Amino acid sequence: MSTDSDAGTDGEMEKINVRVPKTLLADIDDAWEERGYANKSEFIRDALRDAVEPPMQLSEEALEHLAESREQRDDGETVSQADVKERLDIDD
């Protein structure tokens, strides 16, 4: 999550006015605090940053591998790193 301290290289803020539907504002009001933002403005700035520079998206292949890994974990088909080291008699 971004903070106000990384708002820009010079740290200066500009005020803008934005009109949003009441239902969207209600959703924003519900979300900003729940997601750990200090205030509504910080939440909206972070959303604007994501719109300007979208976060990296995982490929379909990567998402499929993650789903398969979770399934294997849930089925007990995986072992921890510590277990592998013990089985192979590996010391750190």
Side-chain angles (χ1 to χ4, degrees):
M1 169 175 21
S2 298
T3 62
D4 289 348
S5 62
D6 65 354
T9 56
D10 60 8
E12 290 186 36
M13 298 271 202
E14 293 286 334
K15 183 177 179 179
I16 62 170
N17 293 318
V18 179
R19 293 181 184 271
V20 297
K22 287 182 180 181
T23 54
L24 177 58
L25 184 58
D27 291 342
I28 292 169
D29 286 336
D30 291 342
W32 70 265
E33 196 168 16
E34 180 180 297
R35 295 185 187 179
Y37 287 88
N39 54 55
K40 192 184 317 182
S41 292
E42 184 181 327
F43 175 81
I44 293 170
R45 279 191 294 275
D46 217 19
L48 292 172
R49 281 187 205 96
D50 285 348
V52 172
E53 294 182 28
M56 185 172 38
Q57 298 292 315
L58 295 175
S59 68
E60 282 298 318
E61 182 181 17
L63 292 171
E64 288 170 10
H65 286 296
L66 284 171
E68 183 180 351
S69 295
R70 287 186 186 111
E71 196 173 305
Q72 289 171 340
R73 180 199 60 206
D74 293 344
D75 292 343
E77 297 174 3
T78 61
V79 294
S80 70
Q81 180 182 16
D83 289 342
V84 170
K85 286 182 176 183
E86 184 178 324
R87 288 181 191 180
L88 299 175
D89 197 27
I90 298 173
D91 294 326
D92 284 330

